[in-house]
Amino acid sequence: MSLEESIKLAVESLDAQLYDIVTTREHDDNIYRVFVTAKGGINLDKCAEISRMISPILDVEEPMGGKYRLEVSSPGIERKLRTKDHFIASVGEKVRVKDIATEVYKGELLSADNQKIVVKTEHGEEEIEQSSILSASTYFEW
């Protein structure tokens, strides 16, 4: 079982879902960031509970050479969409998508499946192949 699968099982045992795992470097610190979601939202107490649950797993299978800081949080209102499941779960939300031709599409995500997504933009419905997406995220208009 992979480290990600172990974390996913631990998170699910606490009635939450693993959204993403991101490793990054900030101010000379390695950060192992675990994003989680749950029906009704994620609060600070739930993040702390999940952190306590996955810390022993990370002690055994140390990521980033063992020199890292663990952060557990919600992906937020404006979140990156990286997997097909992220797109499928975001149908109905506003998205910003950049494809390999560096075209940017902004609008409502009408549908998503394993091959493509459909975004309703000001110019009409745009069909974008999953394989041609460079980056994507949800966005919130304030």
Side-chain angles (χ1 to χ4, degrees):
M1 182 179 305
S2 73
L3 177 58
E4 185 171 332
E5 289 170 326
S6 297
I7 291 170
K8 183 176 187 281
L9 285 174
V11 168
E12 288 173 354
S13 76
L14 296 172
D15 297 322
Q17 292 78 45
L18 177 64
Y19 184 80
D20 206 356
I21 296 173
V22 176
T23 57
T24 188
R25 196 158 168 74
E26 292 177 5
H27 312 294
D28 294 331
D29 286 336
N30 289 324
I31 312 235
Y32 192 80
R33 209 167 267 147
V34 177
F35 292 107
V36 294
T37 59
K39 292 218 184 309
I42 289 286
N43 62 27
L44 197 55
D45 291 339
K46 181 60 90 175
C47 287
E49 182 182 11
I50 291 169
S51 182
R52 285 191 298 276
M53 176 68 103
I54 65 177
S55 279
I57 297 167
L58 297 175
D59 289 343
V60 173
E61 296 186 53
E62 292 184 327
M64 305 178 84
K67 295 177 175 31
Y68 66 94
R69 187 173 75 230
L70 172 64
E71 290 182 2
V72 176
S73 71
S74 158
I77 293 173
E78 293 188 345
R79 61 196 180 282
K80 290 183 192 258
L81 304 174
R82 295 186 332 137
T83 68
K84 292 171 181 126
D85 289 338
H86 290 171
F87 284 99
I88 292 167
S90 299
V91 168
E93 295 187 59
K94 292 190 182 302
V95 296
R96 182 181 300 113
V97 180
K98 186 176 185 181
D99 70 7
I100 54 177
T102 65
E103 293 234 14
V104 176
Y105 303 92
K106 278 179 69 172
E108 181 186 348
L109 181 60
L110 296 179
S111 68
D113 62 29
N114 289 333
Q115 279 74 45
K116 66 185 180 328
I117 64 170
V118 178
V119 178
K120 182 181 178 184
T121 70
E122 60 187 27
H123 306 295
E125 293 183 9
E126 302 283 349
E127 193 172 286
I128 307 158
E129 294 295 319
Q130 287 273 7
S131 59
S132 71
I133 297 172
L134 273 184
S135 64
S137 63
T138 60
Y139 71 92
F140 187 77
E141 287 184 320
W142 299 95

